[in-house]
Amino acid sequence: MLDRDSVPLRESYDFYYGVNNAVWNPFDELFDPAGGDRWLPLYSPANRNAADTWIFQSESGLSIARMMCRFLATENPFVVNILENRVSYVVGTGMQFRLTPRAFVDPSRLPPTFLEKVQEYVDERLDEMTFDAVQQECVRRGDRDGEWFLRKFRFGGRLHLRFIDPGDVSETFGTRGQSDTFGVRSSREDVLDVQGYCVRDEGFVPADEIIHLKLNVDQNVKRGVPTLWPIRAHVHRAQRLLKNLSMLGQGRSSIAYIRKHLAGSSAGIRAFADDRADGSVTDPATQKTKNIARADPTKIIDLPPNMEIEMPGENFNSVQFVQIVQAELRAAAARLVMPEYMTTSDASNGNYASLLVAEGPPYKNFLRVQTAYKKVFTPIVEDVVREGVEAGELPQEAIDLLKLKAVPPVITTREPLADSQDKEILRRNKIISKSTWQQERGYDPKAENAEIAAEDAAEMAQDPGMIDVDGGGEPA
């Protein structure tokens, strides 16, 4: 039996036409109110109708899933917060790509400034391609849509990257008789042998021109599933509950006082209200006349005799409902393997010892996601180096002698002093280099080393008796 919240027709109708806010919902007749399971159609006991088909078995189902998750990513503040945090921790301001000598190369045998010149070329080209923004968009699209397509173009001998919307990759743009299901053409003998993609207005595009990353599915599944899909109901309920709490508080605070009339008739009370009104208007639907008044921030309620008013939220404990909101968001955080504060932005329960330590599940999960993206992004930067060699801007040795290393942002959250002491021990024992330490802390080694050298030179100029330890100079 499918869960009530898993039926695409029900969800798309709820999200976009507001049926779930109506007094009577026609879809309620199709569900077991106790368990939420869908009833079998009376006219077809053995089969499910089209609305009951598993959402990821067709392109239309995937389109509905993407539509709903994009809606959440635009309108739901909790989802926006989740996506921003995932971008920040997976790629941050952009993974750095550093060139280092290959294992068989003696760094001392490299030509002077060779490594720096190649690194400078790569940095400039990545800046031209706004590769940092591309990385961030890849993470956001992956979690929101479950996949992304990045097409490689060559303009003037230079590599350029452009995104293809998942909806523009479809078997409807393929060739009859080919294995083009879901817009991905693969070998008939091996579904992992992807030969190309069927793109709107383009037709078949070879696989070597498109980078496709799919998430949350097995290898033999051609398309990805949004990361947001399992948490859609939780974040939607949390947003609605918070909205209801806010509206209840707004309504309660807008009532200045209640005026009770101990004597008189209902007609007299109406006449009293009519006399105090600023005007009246006739409702075209009911043809009833309503009094109107200036839009004051507060209002007064007039009660006729023998009538009492009971405020439904008089004994309302908002703290209990806030806890329900937090519980819903905690369930979302559990699916994402993220600390709770990343979904609620409430760090009151967080501390350095329990958030993102190296042994914790969130750290290992982010590390796994970072590794997946490093494997996708590194070949792109290798193409940039190859492009420079082919254009004659870099020597062939840039490919033969150097290798690329992707450096993502640091995930672990530790006490700054303890982390610095740990790095100092590793540096002293030659386990990590100074350059690696700088990169992990988000600094550009080239820029920082130049600044350090300039500061050292300035200090030596002010104090001629200072010994240049690195250069081995003698006191003046």
Side-chain angles (χ1 to χ4, degrees), residues 292-366:
I292 58 174
R294 292 189 304 273
D296 294 329
T298 59
K299 55 187 175 183
I300 302 169
I301 299 178
D302 288 291
L303 292 182
N306 302 321
M307 179 180 291
E308 293 184 358
I309 186 170
E310 182 177 345
M311 301 297 293
E314 185 174 355
N315 299 318
F316 181 73
N317 186 0
S318 61
V319 176
Q320 296 177 349
F321 287 86
V322 171
Q323 291 175 346
I324 297 175
V325 173
Q326 292 175 336
E328 291 283 6
L329 296 177
R330 193 174 299 124
R335 154 60 187 97
L336 300 170
V337 200
M338 293 169 60
E340 181 183 348
Y341 80 95
M342 286 191 181
T343 59
T344 63
S345 291
D346 178 13
S348 59
N349 296 326
N351 56 66
Y352 282 111
S354 64
L355 295 183
L356 284 171
V357 294
E359 297 80 11
Y363 167 80
K364 292 185 177 181
N365 181 67
F366 275 125

